[in-house]
Amino acid sequence: MKSFSESYKEAGVDVTAGYKAVELMKAHVARTMTKGVMSGIGGFGGLFELDVTGISKPVLVSGTDGVGTKIKIAFLLDRHDTVGIDCVAMCVNDVICCGAKPQFFLDYIACGKNFPEKIAQIVSGVAEGCVQAECALIGGETAEHPGLMPEDEYDLAGFTVGVVDKDKILDPTTQKAGDVMIAIKSSGVHSNGFSLVRKVFSVTEQNLARHQSDLGTTLGDCLLTPTKIYVKAVMSLLDAVNVKSISHITGGGFYENIPRSLPAGLSAKIERNAVQVLPIFDLIAKTGKIPERDMFNTFNMGVGMAVVVDKNDADKAISAIRAAGEEAYVMGELVESDEGVIIC
């Protein structure tokens, strides 16, 4: 007999909708299967056999994050197949900063009401993100929370586990003055600073649908552009040169994130004119009359990852990143200073 409770349904939770959502998402999940997966979705835990071939001292690296208020844009546009990519990106882009390769991912969706087709759309994005990150979606949870949030709203978070050889964990203490900082280009706002974005543009469905000539698209399409997933580019880079540190430029922008991968006594001196700022950030600054210092302290400004290598390895590093399909360029160097970030 299939599980069903009329009383629970009257309280706002329809378990049959959950079963339908699982059936609809199975095809998306199947796209992410890698050789380490030992179980399908639906069990109490996701099983994954870790392949440690060539890894003498395996170290597990975990990361968790969500999509934040960017989800509000998805609500207004009624488009839910991209925020899952953001969720995966925010997690896997963190763990690769120490040199780890993501292995698997789990998601958590909390919703006011389970609309199976919408949940399947969300998971399709998660699956696409996992495919891009070359990791498996081995489980997750969809929780219906009537009374806790409006029926048509949801929140999305995720969790990933990667592995790295202990001897190959990036060591920021090897950095020195004169090392160069390479920018890997972002795809847009990614998934940070959207509370400020929504305030600046007084976001409504009508505003999002308006075509912006300086963006070459509608504001909504630009803002909903998924966060770049840098796994392939970074793995290729690690094989090509000696990478000293990697910073994922997320909330807090340059001033908060770059110092996290710098040792005491060194700062990143960034050439302002070298930074290839994307048009969306110029529009945000102009519309909101936001000082440049605040922009660089809130947004990625067109730089998704900042990588430090020896200056003699810069050209080789940029070539490896570009060969993996991403755009990269030198935006500064390390100097003796305790300021953290110097933009000049």
Side-chain angles (χ1 to χ4, degrees), residues 299-317:
F299 302 105
N300 68 63
M301 299 299 283
V303 179
M305 304 287 271
V307 178
V308 174
V309 299
D310 187 278
K311 63 181 179 180
N312 294 320
D313 289 332
D315 290 343
K316 191 174 181 181

Side-chain angles (χ1 to χ4, degrees), residues 102-276:
Q103 300 295 306
F104 58 83
F105 188 86
L106 292 89
D107 63 355
Y108 178 85
I109 304 169
C111 56
K113 182 176 177 61
N114 189 332
F115 297 101
E117 290 77 12
K118 180 186 288 186
I119 299 300
Q121 283 185 46
I122 298 168
V123 175
S124 74
V126 176
E128 174 59 26
C130 288
V131 169
Q132 292 182 25
E134 299 181 330
C135 68
L137 177 56
I138 64 171
E141 171 71 7
T142 301
E144 200 168 13
H145 290 166
L148 190 61
M149 59 181 68
E151 285 192 353
D152 60 346
E153 294 191 2
Y154 58 85
D155 196 11
L156 173 64
F159 173 86
T160 193
V161 171
V163 64
V164 61
D165 195 316
K166 185 176 181 180
D167 294 332
K168 294 182 179 179
I169 296 173
L170 301 191
D171 183 3
T173 64
T174 63
Q175 297 173 104
K176 65 182 187 303
D179 287 342
V180 300
M181 178 163 283
I182 295 171
I184 308 181
K185 194 172 181 179
S186 75
S187 56
V189 185
H190 281 186
S191 192
N192 300 102
F194 271 86
S195 294
L196 179 55
V197 167
R198 292 186 298 113
K199 178 183 178 183
V200 166
F201 293 118
S202 300
V203 169
T204 63
E205 187 176 351
Q206 184 178 10
N207 288 345
L208 292 173
R210 186 174 295 119
H211 188 275
Q212 298 281 346
S213 58
D214 42 357
L215 301 179
T217 185
T218 65
L219 178 62
D221 284 345
C222 182
L223 293 178
L224 209 55
T225 300
T227 305
K228 277 272 188 184
I229 291 177
Y230 297 103
V231 174
K232 293 179 183 178
V234 168
M235 293 301 109
S236 296
L237 177 64
L238 293 172
D239 287 339
V241 300
N242 176 36
V243 179
K244 299 189 177 185
S245 77
I246 303 175
S247 302
H248 183 199
I249 311 303
T250 57
F254 282 45
Y255 288 101
E256 180 177 323
N257 291 288
I258 290 176
R260 293 167 64 182
S261 61
L262 296 176
L266 286 181
S267 296
K269 183 179 180 181
I270 294 169
E271 297 179 31
R272 171 62 181 84
N273 291 336
V275 180
Q276 298 177 13

